Structure formats: C-alpha cells, structure tokens
Amino acid sequence: MRSFIDEVIDDIWPNYENISAIIFVLPSKRAGNFLKKAIAQKAGTVIISPIIYSIEEFVEKVSGLSYANNTQQLFELYEAYLRTGTFSKDSFDTFFQWAQTLLQDINEIDRYLIDSQKLFSGLSDIQEITHWSVSSKPTEMMVNYLNFWKHLGAIYENFNSNLSNKALGHQGLVYRKAFEKIPLYLQKEPSPHIFLGFNALNTSESHIIQTILENSNSRIYWDIDAYFLNDPVHDAGLFIRQHKKSWGYFSKNKLKGISDHYLSKKDIEVIGVPKNVSQAKYVGTLLCEINATHLNGLKNTAVILANENLLNPLLNAVPKEITSINITMGQKLEATPMASFFMDVISLLEAKTPKGWFYKDFLNFILHPLSAILLQDNGVFREKLITLISERNLIYVTLEFIQKTFQEPIPFLTILFSGKESNPMTIIDKNRKLILLLKEKLSETKDHMALEQLYKFHNLFNQVQDIISKYSYVSSVKAFKSLFGELLSPETLDFQGDPMEGLQIMGMLESRNLDFETVILTSVNEGILPSGKSHNSFIPFDLKIEYGLPTYKEKDAVYTYHFYRLLQRAKNVYLIYNTEPDVLEGGEKSRLITQLLTDGNRTDIIEKIAAPSILPVKMEREQITKTASLHKMILDHAQKGFSPSSLSNYIRNPMDFYKQNILGIDKMATVEETLAANTFGSIVHDSLEQLYTPFVGKELSKALLLHAKTKIEGVVTHNFKKTYLDGDISSGKNYLSYHVIIKYIQNFIDMEIVEAEKHSIKIIGLEQKLNISLSVPEIGVPVILKGKLDRIDECDGITRIIDYKTGKVEPRNVEIMDWDTLTKTYDYSKAFQLLCYSLMYKKSVGVKELQAGIISLKNMGEGTMLFAKKESVRGAKNNNIETDVLNEFEQYLFGLIQEICNPEIPFTEKIV
C-alpha cells in the first residue's frame, strides 16, 4: 500500500534539487514523524531533515505571537470586561459560566477575518430589538444586559490589545496577525513550502496559503479521492471543490494529491455492538484475530477512537499477546481516581453548611480509595464512623462529632477539617499537605503511576496559586473550583511508545495524513461521528451565514471528510457502533454508515450485529437444606418463641424467615434521610401508647379524648426525638411526615370520640406482652407463641384486640372463607396475625366473647375492621372469634410450625 505521504514524496522528489530546503506544513504535528520516515526511506542516505511545521506552529511563527493558554485568555478577557464601560459587571464566578462561549466566538471572528465592529454592532441591534417593549420602561437588569452587548466590541478590542502587548494571542488573533504579516514573512523566507493533506480551511489559512502559493515555488497536495471530488453533492469533497472554484491559483495550476483508491476492492464490516465496554471488548477480540492471521500482525493497523473516552476500556481489552502499542493520545488526568479525590476534597470544603457536612458527601469521601490509603486503618475507623452515623441517624456530620467520637488526632482529617472558613488559599494549603501525606504512603507501596499523577496535581495547585496571587477576584471556593476544573481538563498523562511501530491507537483528528492497511473505527454513532447540531455560540445562526462563519453543516462535512479519507487506501475496515439507546449518544448508527451502505458502487460491505455470548441461566429457587445444626437452631428459636409477624414472614417467603428470624440477619443499617416506614410506625405506636396510658381501666369519654388531643403535638415531638435520634425534622419530607403523624392521631381521636358517644368503650390494656406454650405434635419440644398486643378494650361488653397499622389495610385482608389460604397466601397475613393474638389472649385470660380487628390510620374511613369468618363472598360475616374457630385455626397453625421444624422440608424461596 502506497500511503498519501509516500505519493507526495514521489511527486516532489524530482522537482526540487534540495529537499532539505523545503518547508513542509501539515494539518497536525502527528504526521510529521511519518513524513520524516518517508523522506529518509526515499533518500536512502543521510540528509539534513527539512523543516516540518503543523499549521498552528507555522502560523505562530509568521505572526510573531505565542499562543496564550485558555486560562490566560479567560483572565485577560475578564480584565478587559471589567475595564470596559460603567455598567454593572458579573462576578468572576458568574463570568466563568459564559466566558468560554464568548472566547470561542472571538476566536472564530478573528480566524475568519470578520469585521468585528460590524458584527458586534449587528449583535447589539438584535438584542435591543429582542428586548424592546412599547408598554414599559426597561428594568435595571435589562439596561445592564443591553449595555453589555453595546460594549462587546470594545471588550473585544481591549482583550486583543492586552494579549498583543504581551506578545500573546488566542488562536484567532494569532491567525489574523499571521495573515497581516505574510508578505513580510515571504520577503525573509524564500524557501519553497509544501502544504499536505488540508481540507477545511478558515479564511486566514486560505489567504495565507494562497499568498505563499502565488509568490514562491510552493505546492499544495490535497488528500482526496476523485470519487468524492467529482461528486457535486458528496460532503467529503465539499471544501476542496470550493477551493478549486474560488482560488485564483487553480486557474493556472491543477489540483495535486488526487487519488483513485476508494473504489478498489476492500473488506468492510459494519458491526453493531451493545454499549461502549462491549465495543472495547470486541476490538480486543478483533485485534487478537488480526495479530494471529495477518503476516505482519498489527504493524499497519490503527484503532481510531471517535469517542476518546473509550481509551481506558480499550487498554484493558487489548490482548496480552500484543506487546507493541503506540498511543498517540494521553490519558485524561481528570478521568483518574486521584482527580476525583481532589475534586471531592474541594467539593466537601465547599459544601460545608452551618449544620455540618451532608452525610452522603462525607461518606463518599471517606470511602474513596485514596482516603483509605491516608487513613491506613484497614477499615476500622471508617466502619466505626459509618455505624455511628447510621445508629445516630446523622444527616449532617460535624467536626465536633468526629472529634468526640475519636479522641486521638487523625492527621488526614486534622489537615482537612482544621480551621473555620474555607477560601482558595486555605484549600491549596490543605491539598498540598494531603499531597505530601499521599506521597509518603505511595512511595512505600512503590506505586509509580500514582506518584506521576500526584506530581501533576502538585504542579496544578502551584499553578492555581500563582493565578490567585495575581488576580484577586478569585476569592470564593466556587470560583476556585471552576478554575481548578478548567486547568485540570486539558491535562494528560502521556504514554511512551515507538510512533512508527506496532498497533496505533489514536483519535480521529490525529489520523489526518496517515494511512493504514487495517482500520478499526469505534463509536460510529450519530452525535459522535458526526457530532450533530450544537450551537454553543452567542452569534445567531443567520448572522453566521451572513458573515461566512462555519455552522454545524460545515462541521458535519469535516467529519465526513475524515471518515471517508480513512477508507480511501485501507484494505480492511471495521466500523463499530453502539446499538443501545443512550441519552447522550442516541444509540443510532451514524448517517455516514447509512450513506456507505446505500452507495451502489460499494458491494463489499458486510453488516452484522455482535453481542456477548449469553448462556441461558435456569432460574432455580434458592433452597436451604435443614442440617442437624440448623434444625437445632430452629428448635431453639421455637422454644424462645415464634411471633405472629415472624410466622407471617415465613408464609410470605421461607428464605426471608430463615435469614431474618433464624440467622438474625437484618437489613443493613442506613441513615434515614427521610423517615422510613417502620420508624414512622414506631413513632405512631409509641405516641398512641403514651396518650392512652392514662385511660387504662377507664371508659373513654369525649372530655378525656379532647384533653388527650391537646397533648398530641408534644407527645409526637418527644417520640420523634426518641426514635429518630439526631434526624432532622425541621424541613423537607421529614417535616411533612411529622405533621402527617400529628394529623393521623388527631383523626384517630376524632373517630374515637364519635365511637365513644355511640358505644361504651373501656381500655383494658396497651402494648400487652403475651406468650403461651403450645404442645405441637411431632416437634418434641415446647413451642412458644409470643407477641405484643397494641390495645385490648371492651366495647359494649365484648372484649376486642385492636392492632394499629399505619399502612393501608382493607376489610378483605381480615376476612377469610377458606382456611387453606390462611397459611399459604400472604394476602391474609393480617387475618393470620389477628387469630394468633386471639389465641394467645384466649389461652392467657380465657374470655368468653372475643373480637379482633385492625385500625388503619391510612384508611380511617373503614373504622375498626374486625376479623370475620364467612362461607361465601357475599355471605354473612361472623365477627366473634369463638372456641371452634380458634380450635380450627390452631390445627393450621400447628401444621405451619410442623413444616418449619420438619428437618426433611428445606427452606425454599417463594417466587412472588
């Protein structure tokens, strides 16, 4: 395969006596190494290397300015903004949010040599028309807003002037200055220039290159296939067709670099793969196959990442057999765990409130891997802290709490939480101390990669300090965080490798001018390739059209060119896209794939969907065999006592009964940020018990109940503090829950007043604990049934057992027709529990007439829902729990207990 660079060298070699005297200009720096190699191979002997520039380096040399980094540009722009006009100015925090957009617009204005004053005047007029009103005077905010647009031209001039005075420039300013100085440059530099592989050019580049071509023995080579160039509507040739038509140079000279490779025989595979990680895994499998089957292995193979976030997954997916890899892009420092650690430190210091730190933020930070290294306690400290936060239900964690909990000082936390108010300089100081601590710990483990990352962060904090020392308006933690993120974003950890050997892994733009026999292109999805419609600009779309500024249409054409250029000379092409819908990426395959598939001249494309092999998994119910030791545990539990709720738990799912009631495994303790259902129920029960305790042995009356009603708020508050501990009920959902409980109890007492006026109700007992011994056949040990009855009263001479429920209960839940359903279906668990309570009370006290019911505080309209046995759906109900009912129930209860205690019947998961 003859690459584009090889073809260019072959063409220029006989036309120039001294190759070393030529100045080569390329779209990117990456292709320079390949160009040097091609020249060396062609020369076959030692020669002086020609000068090779990327276009940005070349323009910088011509202009006489140096590129200001993005941070310098932001601060210089803010300085210009503050010094221009007398209108009200945004703080640096607010400015930071929109400044990047303005910088991009200024950059484009200068690169495309736009008359800035005319454009800014038009922008100001548009804003004035948009905010014009005939009915009222503009507000102060509107006046300030319009003043900003009126002064935008002056801000632009001051900004460019400030940079120029320091021999600096943003990219656009450097390009504009280069355009102005190109005649002077040509007087000093008569050497021929060769431009290689350009496509879309801004106005400055176009004028600079045309001027050089018309005034010296220079050439430009386009890397384009005739198939795209001759097609009047194909976007891959859009820009070069425009250059051919508009450049005077081409009226006398032919286009050079035009090839005819695209329609040659190729093996093209379009592969849909679910999700990004699967793409990386698939590429790894593909590389393994290519390495094993191709004669030269992966020597002329490139993996192009349209989405550069795939780099880390891909590196983990590259087979071990592939030892020679060159990665042209760096690993983003902001994607490392160390970046998240330092950002967490800043966020935690920023997020402190008068109440302390929100427990989730605090725990996330403490559980960070680097926090674990600094604590070096094998998890003891963290576990203790997490347990205490959960037990105390702390929604906010304070420094006082940490110090009180752990008497001895912990250096890591002392550094982090010492001092009162956080400001940028104290944050830098704290992070530097943490860096020194980390350096000591990481040096012990000889983690060189982490130490390299740590050094980068050390430099970053020094850089931030220099900026803050120079510019006083970075005074808030929020501004500091934005600035730190801005500096962190472009930082990378560069990989070392031979740029000419082995597998090449690179981004889309780095592939310019380079050709490979095998190309694997990932993430060929809409929204990535091309990037789709985005208008991150203050300049309206129609104004961009008017002034010849690029829009998303031109950006789409740039992506189309890069896509098809990769295919031109390649023999094996693998286009991989994500098949799964995604909020950010869409999930739709790129229109470029569709365009390729519908091209009638391409008959060598295979389309397929690849997915990870998924073995069928047979859903088997979890089952626990009752061993001798487990059977003993069950019998021990039986002698200690089964509660109605634990037996209901078994009916619902035997595995839950095994884990929770036999093994004692409760759900993990967590902070109740909002009141949990069981805590809500506990507060209600405790409050009702406290309110009704004075009534035990007394008959309820309206006067007694109205007096109790006055105490509700104080009683609920007391029980909230007792049950919810340090949980905050002053705001949010907890505040609402507090008032819901008060309302529930008020409604309950109102209902009780109505009932007390109709019936004679006497309170016999509250929260009464009962337990009875059952002689269950075949068990061999006495079985205890135990429970706590919420309320026992006497209504018109009939004893009633009342169970309070805060959840919704309906009458059908406490009415049964078929005894078999009672111990088989959880739907009748409420009826089962009422019968258990009745059996215990009957055997303990021996009353003649007994009823049992539930009062649902969420369904108060149903009143007291009494247990009923009925023969049919619409049949008569018998609410009295008579001896024969309890005898029949007892047989079903015995059967349930025998099943639990039977060593031959395993605990089997019930699929709900």
Side-chain angles (χ1 to χ4, degrees):
M1 180 194 75
R2 299 290 293 165
S3 70
F4 166 68
I5 290 175
D6 291 334
E7 290 173 358
V8 170
I9 297 301
D10 287 345
D11 187 71
I12 66 173
W13 202 265
N15 296 297
Y16 291 90
E17 292 182 5
N18 185 7
I19 295 294
S20 301
I22 298 174
I23 295 174
F24 289 91
V25 184
L26 295 83
S28 67
K29 196 172 182 179
R30 169 74 182 146
N33 290 325
F34 287 83
L35 178 60
K36 286 180 182 178
K37 182 181 178 181
I39 293 171
Q41 288 177 342
K42 186 72 176 178
T45 185
V46 177
I47 62 169
I48 296 173
S49 174
I51 297 171
I52 302 173
Y53 291 117
S54 69
I55 184 65
E56 290 196 354
E57 291 171 335
F58 178 68
V59 168
E60 184 180 25
K61 177 177 175 58
V62 174
S63 71
L65 299 177
S66 297
Y67 291 108
N69 63 44
N70 193 64
T71 307
Q72 286 176 299
Q73 293 177 43
L74 283 169
F75 281 100
E76 290 295 342
L77 181 61
Y78 191 58
E79 291 279 344
Y81 169 68
L82 291 178
R83 291 200 299 266
T84 305
T86 56
F87 58 95
S88 177
K89 304 296 189 342
D90 286 340
S91 66
F92 186 73
D93 303 4
T94 307
F95 165 83
F96 210 94
Q97 296 170 18
W98 53 262
Q100 202 63 253
T101 303
L102 181 57
L103 276 177
Q104 291 172 8
D105 285 340
I106 290 173
N107 188 37
E108 280 203 339
I109 287 167
D110 279 338
R111 287 197 302 143
Y112 283 84
L113 305 177
I114 305 299
D115 183 339
S116 59
Q117 292 306 317
K118 191 175 178 183
L119 175 65
F120 287 131
S121 175
L123 263 178
S124 176
D125 291 342
I126 289 170
Q127 294 299 327
E128 196 157 354
I129 291 169
T130 303
H131 293 82
W132 177 80
S133 173
V134 72
S135 59
S136 61
K137 291 182 179 180
T139 64
E140 184 181 347
M141 184 180 290
M142 287 173 64
V143 170
N144 273 321
Y145 181 75
L146 293 173
N147 268 327
F148 167 74
W149 291 102
K150 287 175 183 176
H151 288 86
L152 198 52
I155 293 170
Y156 161 85
E157 293 293 345
N158 288 336
F159 174 54
N160 279 357
S161 176
N162 291 348
L163 288 173
S164 297
N165 291 338
K166 297 175 181 178
L168 295 173
H170 54 84
Q171 190 190 55
L173 180 59
V174 173
Y175 272 69
R176 192 186 279 271
K177 290 294 182 184
F179 161 74
E180 294 169 359
K181 292 184 177 180
I182 194 65
L184 182 62
Y185 168 79
L186 287 174
Q187 291 175 16
K188 297 179 180 178
E189 184 56 80
S191 300
H193 294 66
I194 303 293
F195 296 90
L196 283 80
F198 286 90
N199 174 44
L201 298 170
N202 59 55
T203 308
S204 299
E205 289 171 333
S206 180
H207 282 302
I208 289 168
I209 293 173
Q210 287 185 72
T211 303
I212 292 173
L213 292 176
E214 290 168 358
N215 291 280
S216 63
N217 182 26
S218 300
R219 295 185 180 187
I220 184 167
Y221 289 85
W222 308 98
D223 188 2
I224 187 75
D225 197 280
Y227 182 76
F228 310 123
L229 186 64
N230 297 332
D231 186 335
V233 295
H234 203 296
D235 275 356
L238 172 69
F239 296 106
I240 297 175
R241 288 195 298 271
Q242 289 176 355
H243 301 328
K244 182 182 178 182
K245 184 178 179 180
S246 61
W247 285 17
Y249 173 78
F250 291 123
S251 61
K252 300 176 184 178
N253 298 276
K254 290 183 178 180
L255 268 74
K256 292 184 177 293
I258 313 304
S259 62
D260 191 19
H261 300 290
Y262 176 70
L263 292 179
S264 62
K265 179 71 175 71
K266 304 177 189 296
D267 293 319
I268 301 176
E269 291 188 20
V270 176
I271 306 139
V273 182
K275 294 296 182 182
N276 286 337
V277 172
S278 293
Q279 286 189 74
K281 295 288 185 184
Y282 186 83
V283 171
T285 305
L286 205 55
L287 292 172
C288 198
E289 291 175 4
I290 295 169
N291 190 48
T293 56
H294 285 57
L295 185 63
N296 293 323
L298 299 169
K299 188 176 181 181
N300 206 4
T301 299
V303 177
I304 313 295
L305 303 181
N307 177 6
E308 296 189 7
N309 290 328
L310 236 61
L311 179 60
N312 278 346
L314 179 62
L315 293 179
N316 288 309
V318 172
K320 293 179 181 178
E321 299 89 332
I322 301 170
T323 55
S324 181
I325 303 173
N326 180 55
I327 304 166
T328 61
M329 65 187 81
Q331 184 188 40
K332 288 189 174 181
L333 193 62
E334 65 179 349
T336 62
M338 196 166 287
S340 67
F341 172 76
F342 285 110
M343 288 303 288
D344 283 353
V345 169
I346 297 168
S347 297
L348 198 63
L349 294 171
E350 178 191 21
K352 186 180 179 183
T353 69
K355 296 179 182 179
W357 292 277
F358 184 52
Y359 81 99
K360 282 186 179 177
D361 296 335
F362 182 79
L363 290 181
N364 285 341
F365 175 72
I366 290 297
L367 293 172
H368 194 285
L370 287 176
S371 296
I373 291 173
L374 287 169
L375 288 169
Q376 251 187 357
D377 66 339
N378 298 319
V380 175
F381 167 78
R382 288 174 295 155
E383 287 299 324
K384 187 175 181 182
L385 196 59
I386 293 166
T387 302
L388 282 170
I389 289 171
S390 301
E391 287 177 352
R392 298 281 304 274
N393 215 58
L394 287 174
I395 296 174
Y396 290 94
V397 180
T398 62
L399 181 59
E400 291 73 24
F401 166 74
I402 298 169
Q403 291 172 338
K404 193 183 292 182
T405 306
F406 305 97
Q407 302 298 328
E408 56 185 67
I410 300 168
F412 165 44
L413 297 179
T414 302
I415 290 170
L416 192 59
F417 300 125
S418 60
K420 293 182 180 179
E421 292 299 321
S422 292
N423 60 60
M425 294 308 290
T426 60
I427 290 176
I428 291 171
D429 182 58
K430 288 177 181 182
N431 278 288
R432 277 177 164 169
K433 289 176 180 176
L434 290 179
I435 285 172
L436 291 175
L437 272 180
L438 271 172
K439 180 186 176 185
E440 184 182 332
K441 304 293 184 186
L442 294 172
S443 297
E444 292 172 4
T445 58
K446 297 182 180 179
D447 190 340
H448 301 297
M449 175 72 83
L451 285 167
E452 183 69 26
Q453 294 173 12
L454 195 62
Y455 177 71
K456 288 269 188 180
F457 280 100
H458 171 72
N459 288 340
L460 267 178
F461 282 111
N462 285 343
Q463 193 177 345
V464 175
Q465 185 179 27
D466 290 342
I467 292 169
I468 291 173
S469 301
K470 186 176 180 182
Y471 302 102
S472 59
Y473 37 77
V474 185
S475 55
S476 70
V477 179
K478 185 178 179 182
F480 170 83
K481 187 178 177 182
S482 299
L483 176 60
F484 184 76
E486 180 67 32
L487 291 172
L488 175 62
S489 180
E491 287 291 329
T492 58
L493 291 169
D494 297 325
F495 294 94
Q496 292 183 346
D498 187 342
M500 312 306 297
E501 292 296 329
L503 172 68
Q504 302 288 322
I505 299 177
M506 59 181 64
M508 197 74 181
L509 294 180
E510 292 164 318
S511 68
R512 290 176 292 183
N513 288 10
L514 306 181
D515 297 293
F516 301 94
E517 190 172 290
T518 301
V519 171
I520 302 170
L521 180 58
T522 65
S523 302
V524 191
N525 285 81
E526 265 319 290
I528 298 177
L529 192 67
S531 61
K533 294 182 181 180
S534 60
H535 188 71
N536 189 23
S537 172
F538 288 132
I539 305 171
F541 184 83
D542 52 353
L543 209 59
K544 285 198 168 194
I545 298 292
E546 175 68 24
Y547 283 92
L549 289 168
T551 64
Y552 67 86
K553 293 182 178 180
E554 285 72 29
K555 290 174 183 176
D556 283 358
V558 170
Y559 279 103
T560 304
Y561 169 80
H562 290 317
F563 174 79
Y564 279 100
R565 199 210 65 76
L566 279 169
L567 272 57
Q568 283 177 193
R569 295 174 178 81
K571 293 182 180 178
N572 309 297
V573 179
Y574 301 91
L575 305 176
I576 303 171
Y577 68 94
N578 181 2
T579 60
E580 296 305 298
D582 189 280
V583 174
L584 298 177
E585 298 174 12
E588 182 184 354
K589 65 185 174 187
S590 171
R591 72 190 78 165
L592 300 176
I593 290 180
T594 305
Q595 185 178 7
L596 193 64
L597 292 170
T598 54
D599 189 340
N601 293 307
R602 290 244 69 102
T603 58
D604 48 8
I605 303 175
I606 298 172
E607 190 176 8
K608 60 186 181 183
I609 300 295
S613 57
I614 301 173
L615 299 175
V617 178
K618 186 179 179 182
M619 289 295 293
E620 294 185 358
R621 299 187 182 202
E622 190 178 0
Q623 197 171 78
I624 301 294
T625 303
K626 294 173 184 172
T627 61
S629 58
L630 177 56
H631 185 242
K632 185 178 182 303
M633 288 175 68
I634 296 169
L635 294 179
D636 288 345
H637 186 76
Q639 292 176 80
K640 290 176 183 176
F642 290 119
S643 67
S645 59
S646 69
L647 293 173
S648 297
N649 206 20
Y650 181 85
I651 294 169
R652 186 174 65 85
N653 190 345
M655 288 304 300
D656 288 344
F657 173 83
Y658 164 70
K659 292 174 182 176
Q660 295 172 19
N661 300 106
I662 302 300
L663 298 184
I665 301 173
D666 292 325
K667 291 181 180 178
M668 187 180 294
T670 57
V671 174
E672 290 180 28
E673 192 176 329
T674 56
L675 206 65
N678 59 339
T679 307
F680 186 98
S682 297
I683 295 170
V684 170
H685 278 73
D686 292 347
S687 297
L688 285 173
E689 181 187 5
Q690 192 172 339
L691 287 167
Y692 272 69
T693 296
F695 304 157
V696 175
K698 296 179 182 179
E699 188 171 323
L700 293 181
S701 66
K702 183 176 180 180
L704 285 174
L705 291 168
L706 285 174
H707 179 68
K709 204 173 175 183
T710 62
K711 298 180 179 180
I712 292 175
E713 192 166 333
V715 168
V716 171
T717 303
H718 167 76
N719 285 296
F720 245 103
K721 290 179 179 178
K722 181 184 76 174
T723 307
Y724 200 46
L725 297 177
D726 292 323
D728 182 21
I729 63 168
S730 62
S731 61
K733 291 182 179 179
N734 291 336
Y735 178 79
L736 296 177
S737 296
Y738 169 75
H739 285 280
V740 166
I741 290 174
I742 290 173
K743 190 65 178 175
Y744 271 5
I745 296 175
Q746 286 174 343
N747 290 343
F748 175 76
I749 292 181
D750 287 340
M751 184 188 76
E752 290 276 87
I753 291 171
V754 173
E755 289 295 304
E757 290 177 335
K758 294 179 181 178
H759 306 280
S760 171
I761 301 173
K762 181 182 179 182
I763 303 297
I764 297 172
L766 298 171
E767 300 295 328
Q768 186 171 329
K769 293 181 180 179
L770 293 176
N771 69 76
I772 60 171
S773 179
L774 301 174
S775 298
V776 182
E778 302 175 12
I779 299 299
V781 296
V783 175
I784 301 298
L785 183 64
K786 64 179 182 179
K788 186 161 62 171
L789 283 59
D790 291 343
R791 167 171 155 179
I792 306 156
D793 66 20
E794 192 177 275
C795 181
D796 296 334
I798 299 173
T799 303
R800 299 188 308 178
I801 296 168
I802 303 297
D803 194 21
Y804 301 134
K805 298 291 184 187
T806 52
K808 187 173 183 179
V809 180
E810 296 178 354
R812 62 184 177 85
N813 300 131
V814 295
E815 297 171 355
I816 64 166
M817 292 182 293
D818 183 3
W819 283 106
D820 289 331
T821 60
L822 193 65
T823 56
K824 301 296 181 186
T825 309
Y826 188 69
D827 292 345
Y828 296 99
S829 61
K830 305 295 185 295
F832 176 84
Q833 289 179 26
L834 289 176
L835 287 170
C836 285
Y837 294 140
S838 300
L839 181 67
M840 286 189 285
Y841 194 75
K842 187 89 170 178
K843 285 184 177 289
S844 299
V845 180
V847 293
K848 290 183 180 180
E849 288 189 277
L850 181 65
Q851 293 179 348
I854 287 175
I855 297 176
S856 170
L857 298 182
K858 199 170 187 178
N859 192 16
M860 202 81 74
E862 293 290 344
T864 304
M865 292 173 276
L866 295 173
F867 167 82
K869 177 72 174 68
K870 56 185 184 178
E871 299 301 324
S872 63
V873 175
R874 299 185 185 277
K877 301 177 184 178
N878 182 10
N879 295 123
N880 290 328
I881 303 174
E882 296 160 348
T883 303
D884 58 339
V885 171
L886 288 178
N887 288 340
E888 195 163 359
F889 167 69
E890 194 172 37
Q891 297 309 308
Y892 283 92
L893 178 62
F894 284 1
L896 181 66
I897 294 172
Q898 285 168 347
E899 182 182 319
I900 293 171
C901 297
N902 190 337
E904 302 301 322
I905 301 176
F907 288 122
T908 305
E909 181 183 14
K910 187 180 287 186
I911 305 296
V912 180

